[in-house]
Amino acid sequence: MTEKYFWLDKEIQEMLPEIIATRRDLHKFAEPGWMEMRTTSCVVNELKDLGIDAILGKDVCAADSRMGLPSKEELDRHAEWAMKNGADPDILQLVKDGFTGAIFTLDLGPGPVIALRFDMDALGVFETQDVVPKSVTDGVMHACGHDGHTAMGIAAAKLLYKHRDELRGKIKFIFQPAEEGVRGAKSIVAAGHLDDVDHVLALHIFPHNGSSAKLRLTSPHGRGSLATTKLDFDFRGKAAHAGIDPQNGSNALLAASTAIMNMHAIPRYGLEPTHINVGILKAGTGRNVVCDQVHMEAETRGGSTEANKYVEEYAVRVAESAAAMHGCSVDIEVKGAAPVMNNSEELVEMAKDLGVEVEILEATGNGSEDFAYFAEKVGSALYMQLPCECAAPNHNSNFDFDESVLATGVELICKMVLRLMEKE
Amino acid sequence: MTEKYFWLDKEIQEMLPEIIATRRDLHKFAEPGWMEMRTTSCVVNELKDLGIDAILGKDVCAADSRMGLPSKEELDRHAEWAMKNGADPDILQLVKDGFTGAIFTLDLGPGPVIALRFDMDALGVFETQDVVPKSVTDGVMHACGHDGHTAMGIAAAKLLYKHRDELRGKIKFIFQPAEEGVRGAKSIVAAGHLDDVDHVLALHIFPHNGSSAKLRLTSPHGRGSLATTKLDFDFRGKAAHAGIDPQNGSNALLAASTAIMNMHAIPRYGLEPTHINVGILKAGTGRNVVCDQVHMEAETRGGSTEANKYVEEYAVRVAESAAAMHGCSVDIEVKGAAPVMNNSEELVEMAKDLGVEVEILEATGNGSEDFAYFAEKVGSALYMQLPCECAAPNHNSNFDFDESVLATGVELICKMVLRLMEKE
Amino acid sequence: MTEKYFWLDKEIQEMLPEIIATRRDLHKFAEPGWMEMRTTSCVVNELKDLGIDAILGKDVCAADSRMGLPSKEELDRHAEWAMKNGADPDILQLVKDGFTGAIFTLDLGPGPVIALRFDMDALGVFETQDVVPKSVTDGVMHACGHDGHTAMGIAAAKLLYKHRDELRGKIKFIFQPAEEGVRGAKSIVAAGHLDDVDHVLALHIFPHNGSSAKLRLTSPHGRGSLATTKLDFDFRGKAAHAGIDPQNGSNALLAASTAIMNMHAIPRYGLEPTHINVGILKAGTGRNVVCDQVHMEAETRGGSTEANKYVEEYAVRVAESAAAMHGCSVDIEVKGAAPVMNNSEELVEMAKDLGVEVEILEATGNGSEDFAYFAEKVGSALYMQLPCECAAPNHNSNFDFDESVLATGVELICKMVLRLMEKE
Amino acid sequence: MTEKYFWLDKEIQEMLPEIIATRRDLHKFAEPGWMEMRTTSCVVNELKDLGIDAILGKDVCAADSRMGLPSKEELDRHAEWAMKNGADPDILQLVKDGFTGAIFTLDLGPGPVIALRFDMDALGVFETQDVVPKSVTDGVMHACGHDGHTAMGIAAAKLLYKHRDELRGKIKFIFQPAEEGVRGAKSIVAAGHLDDVDHVLALHIFPHNGSSAKLRLTSPHGRGSLATTKLDFDFRGKAAHAGIDPQNGSNALLAASTAIMNMHAIPRYGLEPTHINVGILKAGTGRNVVCDQVHMEAETRGGSTEANKYVEEYAVRVAESAAAMHGCSVDIEVKGAAPVMNNSEELVEMAKDLGVEVEILEATGNGSEDFAYFAEKVGSALYMQLPCECAAPNHNSNFDFDESVLATGVELICKMVLRLMEKE
């Protein structure tokens, strides 16, 4: 790395207190996926002075491609909460029906088109950490660092805007809703926002693993994350008295049990990992009533997009056959999905030369991440893991991170943008 | 039937408004099994002037033989409710911890010992009928006529007490808690109250089936009701991330699904009916978490007490083996039980001659009733069905009955007592 | 019973050595169902001198309604055997392709039409008894007394023919193939032979149960035997290497296992007995090959024809759904069937008055018998059990019976015929 | 590679007709695992003139560690066959009871100890190829090239013996029985023959994949083959009449079906491949008999020895629990096993420099090979794949290979020995 971006470090350090303050505000007012109403409002508020056009509301995500939406009641209830907790009423009007998220485009004329993805949503975790101001909402917590990602996105936008005269091309700052449960990314891709993009980047805070590296990347020969599909199954049968006339019922719990056994027994796919899990099941109304309703939540994973598709399609066939077997019907809904994610070789090579220690993971990833939809669409993609000191693992009720990582993240993503623009 | 009990009819007709008023009061303040606190208080209040000894509180039911008790919290909450709704504080003190029910003994010297069983509990049904004053508690309803049974028991006690000089022997008026779910009878038998009893009787209101009979009896060669056991299963496994290390979990839902399939597949028992049903299941915390907790509610039924025992023991073995198979444990709790019920030949013959039209059912019963414990203990037993005009089937949210049946019931049970005492 | 048939007893006693000789000959040359070639030849030979018309070959059974036929190879092989063992070549030509059985009609002008059913087939049992001349064929044995039934049928035909001048109406002597596995009766009914019949009778030798009765009858209010269906299932999948690419196979053994579990788990039918059993399964070619072929033999039983049909149809749906679930197909073939059998009240009453001790069974039967098809068609039906001293239970390798029962059987069935003819 | 071993190529070319003749003789008299009686006799016969000590009979394999032995009857029958087909009677006496195989040790004083493994057994395949003289035994065929391996072993022994003056150290020529089904290697290791070995080598003929390489090696960072265990399960229950008293039986087929479903449903092991397959099942005696006997053949595979062990132990627990669930017992027998196989880095590097084109496989192997036991024991191990023109894939009924590969194989393995001895 040349020294030409010497100014970056100093400017970021000056901004750090502000970045931290934003992160803490977002942390306190944590919002789950598709309900990032106050969060979106905050992002817009921070960036509105730049005078660059924001894409908001129904223009962000293709409505039909959004997965795992909360119910109308939940959205309405949360809109009231957002209003009480400081969301801008005009923005709220745009985002309240499951249309959260925002895209800011800094257009600097001919040159490469670069997209930066920042996710914004919190998790359904009961917070126990007590360093950062706690979430005001019981059972909703930023336990995966997306508060930090959003704060870094705001900072990067301000910084790159400030230096816009030194840049050429176009930068899209994508503030994505509903990454948890891999629900949001697909609908942004479906809306066409990645169609003209040459390179796409994202960053994510993780606990370091003892290494002192500041940047961690999956080898382009490895696999950054597993493909996955999140499926809900609702079996419908017919109730009957279990002692008097069970033959007049249609036993949805027999159908579901058969489905569970056979889903877990789906034959393997060569040497590829192929996971399936039925994690939640709720059934029935009385011990002496033939069960007529089963709700079941499951997920599949695959070491390749094809392997995951194989398991998903097999699971669907299992559910439909098990329902037919017992005279029941089944509704199946996809609540989230992501393909396999891969870093591109070119961007990994470029990132090795950013002036910080880089760790390359040869081992393949076992999680899932819907940034994979962006990567799949664009091809030239980089998922930048930011290893840092954490109080607990991601998704843990005690999760927290060393906020100095926010400076590192802004620096690294800005440097990648500068290098990509300079290169062409 | 001779005419010697001519006075009965007239006296009962005079009492009918009072019987109806009692039934309506009980209906309005419906209480579920083991929580008949205000109901017990009402019974004691009605009968206290007779000056006969009441057995109350811990002396009614053998504590360890009570099945399917509500939680301490539920009992405490309901005790507050009962206090606010008119229960006598002294009686409430005795009955509040799952010790509802009362036994009144009218001891008239040497002679036959006769027990009369009246059940008192309501059901978890959301009432929709609008003729009788509705239950003040949403989701608790006298939808099986036990309000009427209790009112008839009070009336019979008053009437027989009034005519005590004409009688000899001993009459036990047993007001039983928690018949629904077949939970209470066993503990009364276990407390020894039936040890000295020669004959035991019960009555139950049912819709007529088109016949004009006033009394319906299962043939002594048939079977009055099925044996049954109500079982709860709680599987415990170990949670793990379904995508990262499922092998470190113990999948309680695989154990439960295997148990469900195999319970329903238990081989038949000769030509006897052997039913099993898993009616309720709740499992899991997240779709990507190996399920570590399953709660399951089931019941078995058998055409004989042996057949039911066979299914119950097989089901327990299935659950334990299924748990072991997947490295899980399982807690199994009996929440209710009853043997097969049979009318004795002698009492059926006697009942045919009570002066009303009697219908004898040759077909075997397909329900369950914990009066079976009394019948099994005493031998000489009669379960008197009172067919009448009903607004809907038992257990239906719109259930109601023609209250003139209350007079018929009091008359028939008193006549049976008189005949049994006269006979010896 | 009047004394007018006094001659019967004497004449039968004179015939007994001949009846016994016939039975022993049939026992020695035992033939399984649809292969009673020498047996049919023997019957025809015995009765040909009577000069009454015999229905033989393709006119006996409706070809398409025959169930559970042996393969062409087995039939051909057995025809060779029959030729070597004394079958008449002309008759063999008629019966050799699964067209065994014979019907002789004695037409005596106007009057009642009575059919008598005698079954002829042996079982796949390795004989160990050593009193009667053993079966010359290892693994084929008359272990259910059908040799005796056939011998009685021949004797009854001769006797009634002899006394034809005293009779009026029509008697059909039906020598039925393939009763074992309930395979043959349906096709005789389908051929129309029962269309004009007023009463139908059969007899069967069984061990006595300690009673001294000479005739045992199921009460017309009971059930003589269970309805049943015998089903073969052949699952076809696709083989693949279990270690390399199991996803390219279609696992027929997973389909079959799912089918077995769910067939046994079919919900009960009210209080009716509903049995199902998968008794035989053969699957697969190698431990490291995804199984592509499963052959499975099962049966259903029901306490009513409807209950059996319910189980049969449910089992078929289970098999088809389980196959579809795993990308397999399944061929299902009915190999045998019978409805529930009931004695008619009138004939039971008549049989009580035949001059021998009669035992009426109130308990319901738990076996199956395809005479049920005749009974269902005709209505006025009687299945006469002949209790006698037996060396072992039916179907046992050591089965044998006291041959004096042959005289009793001929006497009883002839008396029934005489009474039925006399009555009208 | 230096030119110092220039003589090798010429001498091997001179020997080639003899090597081919040996291979064809072994092909014609193909023998399955543990029955390589004539084959062992042939090897001994070929090498006896060298005057080096042969280990034979019970000294080759630790008797108790042999897996998947044929029955005594099969061994005896085959010994007769071997006698008739030219086996030496003295050697036959030593090897006939499942003690086939031979080890020849060429001891040349101090220096490295090198073991060379050659497998000898044929497969249960019906041969259809018609180039090489066909197997004289229907259903037994050298369809995996072990005939060639043995012929190469004989040639290598002769050649290295001839040049023994140029060598130092010790060479063990191990002719291993029963590699198919991974049954033999473990018992040779258990007998201690690898205890003093420094390096171990094996070779195997495979179809080339379009590459022109003469040697193919799995990368030392990859995995040469999967760990595997071959298991037989025998469930024992209790027969009963399925219609009359199924409750008196113990249904072994319900136990087996439950086991099959749950074995296939064993949770995955991280991202490791974990295969299981139940490939063969035989059950039952009659459709109306509760099944009392099930024989089941299965295998497990794992991407690591630990992953395979996890599946194996889980499968055993599943079988035992399924048996207990239905009142059955189960006998479980290990019929074959192998750990994961890895090439050592040092030997792969050495092999790259043998003067032929080498192909390195990065992808991981999906087969299994019991040479893995040798490799696991010794550490410094190399499994040399010999790609060549083949008529069909291995294990196919039409398998055959271009015999010029025999020269290549002898050359490569001798060169490896020479290099290893020279090095130290």
Side-chain angles (χ1 to χ4, degrees), chain B residues 243-251 254-255 258-259 262 265-271 310 314 317-319 321-322 324-327, chain D residues 243-251 254-255 258-259 262 265-271 310 314 317-319 321-322 324-327:
Chain B
I244 296 174
D245 60 349
Q247 76 276 15
N248 291 333
S250 295
N251 195 322
L254 277 182
T258 297
N262 282 282
I266 291 172
R268 274 65 168 172
Y269 190 86
L271 301 182
Y310 159 79
Y314 208 126
R317 197 172 71 225
V318 164
S321 301
M325 185 179 284
H326 291 287
Chain D
I244 296 175
D245 59 350
Q247 75 275 16
N248 291 334
S250 297
N251 194 323
L254 277 182
T258 297
N262 281 282
I266 291 173
R268 275 64 169 173
Y269 190 87
L271 301 183
Y310 159 79
Y314 207 125
R317 196 171 72 226
V318 163
S321 301
M325 185 179 282
H326 292 286

Side-chain angles (χ1 to χ4, degrees), chain D residues 295-318:
Chain D
H295 174 74
M296 204 163 99
E297 302 186 12
E299 64 159 38
T300 65
R301 308 228 183 192
S304 65
T305 305
E306 292 68 35
N308 182 60
K309 195 175 172 212
Y310 159 79
V311 182
E312 178 189 340
E313 290 177 354
Y314 207 125
V316 164
R317 196 171 72 226
V318 163

Side-chain angles (χ1 to χ4, degrees), chain A residues 243-251 254-255 258-259 262 265-271 310 314 317-319 321-322 324-327, chain C residues 243-251 254-255 258-259 262 265-271 310 314 317-319 321-322 324-327:
Chain A
I244 296 174
D245 60 349
Q247 76 276 14
N248 290 335
S250 296
N251 194 321
L254 278 182
T258 297
N262 282 283
I266 290 172
R268 275 63 168 173
Y269 190 87
L271 301 181
Y310 159 79
Y314 207 126
R317 197 172 69 226
V318 164
S321 302
M325 186 179 282
H326 291 287
Chain C
I244 295 175
D245 59 349
Q247 75 276 15
N248 291 334
S250 296
N251 195 322
L254 278 182
T258 297
N262 282 282
I266 290 172
R268 274 65 167 173
Y269 190 86
L271 301 181
Y310 159 79
Y314 207 126
R317 197 172 69 225
V318 163
S321 300
M325 185 180 282
H326 291 287

